[in-house]
Amino acid sequence: MSIDNWQEQLRRGSLDLAILLTASAGPRYGLAIIQHLEAFTDLVVTEGTIYPILGRMTREGLLEAQWIENEAPHPRKYYRLTPRGARRLREMTIEWKALAAKIDRLMAAAEEGTR
Amino acid sequence: MNLSETGQSRVNGYLFVLERSLKTFLPADIVHDAVREIESHLRDRVMTTEAVPNEREALERVLSELGPPLRVAQAYSAERVIDEAVTTGRLLPIGRAIWHVATTTLVGSLVGTALFTGYVAGFAFLAVAALKPIFPNNVGLIVVDGIPRVFGAQFPAPPGGVVYGGYWIIPISIACGIAVLTVMHRATRRFLTRWRERRKLRSALEAPFTT
């Protein structure tokens, strides 16, 4: 497996988690979600691909979307986390941390072994 | 940054192409909402871009960060069309999803053709069951000179052909038709589910993660 393929596998699903984490801080519109990801991680998302993902997550009931007309010179579509989305976020966070901890332990053991 | 008339028509052109592309696959209300959201995004981006001497260059950068309209439309279509097919399992969304997949990639076209053939076979069995009571001498296992030629219907019946199979082929054809359609439907949903997962992965990858 090439490093690219490995990265593909590694990144699988991480965008959903990143979006849920971003939405958990409060309602945000698309560009604000992108900017939040840029500010708090070093992930820069190609903008056009995030909207279909937001749409899917809305259909899955993880996010709730609402157009706000008067908040800016033009309407903005805000996304907020639903209770189902919050549950999913908790589950994904637990899974993510557990996996990261296991890999950390494995790496530590490997480093010990090489000394 | 405030857009000049030229800049505004460039944005309108982008949105026009996006809308035309989305209309191929999506219902009008979804298209309207998607285009409105992309337009809102562009206005936000333009609003937060500092005024520069070369507006064209700045606008092109904004549009290129968003992605070509056809690619954005494809991402929308894949998420929406396949999602609806997998979730509902209804024939029309399934048909739309297969068509989308078949027209997107070579593998998709091969699998799409195979699935379409399977569905046709299933419906053909049901058609045999429906036609047998109406055309008893043209429907069944048609044997010519001792060699089975056709299972189904043939109009007119071939010269010297003997039709085997009485009305008992009706329940058998119905059973076979339902069995084939059930298998094809499950296979299609499974295929589309996997396709959707791959699409999610690709979306994540096409969203470049740069440091």
Side-chain angles (χ1 to χ4, degrees), chain B residues 116-198:
Chain B
F116 178 74
T117 307
Y119 274 106
V120 168
F123 282 116
F125 274 115
L126 297 182
V128 165
L131 289 173
K132 181 66 179 172
I134 307 169
F135 306 103
N137 297 322
N138 296 81
V139 178
L141 179 63
I142 299 173
V143 177
V144 180
D145 298 331
I147 302 168
R149 293 289 172 88
V150 174
F151 177 78
Q154 191 165 350
F155 302 95
V162 179
V163 176
Y164 288 90
Y167 287 107
W168 52 266
I169 70 163
I170 295 174
I172 290 178
S173 293
I174 290 174
C176 288
I178 290 173
V180 170
L181 286 175
T182 303
V183 168
M184 292 315 302
H185 206 60
R186 286 184 181 173
T188 303
R189 288 185 78 174
R190 188 170 294 180
F191 168 70
L192 290 174
T193 304
R194 285 186 185 175
W195 188 274
R196 182 172 67 163
E197 294 304 316
R198 280 181 53 195

Side-chain angles (χ1 to χ4, degrees), chain A residues 4 7-9 11-16 29-31 34-35 38 42-56 59-60 67-69 72-79, chain B residues 14 32-33 36-41 43-45 47-48 62 64-67 71-72 75-77 79-81 83-84 194 196-198 200-201 203-211:
Chain A
D4 288 342
Q7 283 176 326
E8 286 178 17
Q9 298 298 323
R11 287 168 179 167
R12 186 171 189 168
S14 65
L15 197 54
D16 283 21
Y29 56 97
L31 183 57
I34 292 166
Q35 288 170 334
E38 286 174 340
D42 52 6
L43 307 180
V44 175
V45 179
T46 296
E47 294 151 1
T49 58
I50 198 170
Y51 291 102
I53 296 170
L54 289 170
R56 170 177 51 77
R59 288 195 302 282
E60 288 174 353
W67 280 100
I68 304 289
E69 303 282 344
H74 52 272
R76 282 172 172 162
K77 193 176 186 181
Y78 276 79
Y79 295 89
Chain B
Y14 182 98
H32 175 74
D33 192 71
R36 192 180 178 206
E37 187 169 28
I38 294 294
E39 183 179 6
S40 172
H41 171 97
R43 292 195 183 285
D44 272 322
R45 266 291 184 219
M47 208 166 68
T48 54
V62 167
S64 98
E65 282 170 358
L66 185 59
R71 188 164 141 194
V72 175
Y76 265 106
S77 301
E79 289 287 353
R80 175 82 202 183
V81 173
D83 200 38
E84 187 183 1
R194 285 186 185 175
R196 182 172 67 163
E197 294 304 316
R198 280 181 53 195
K200 279 186 200 172
L201 167 61
S203 294
L205 292 170
E206 282 175 355
F209 290 62
T210 58
T211 54

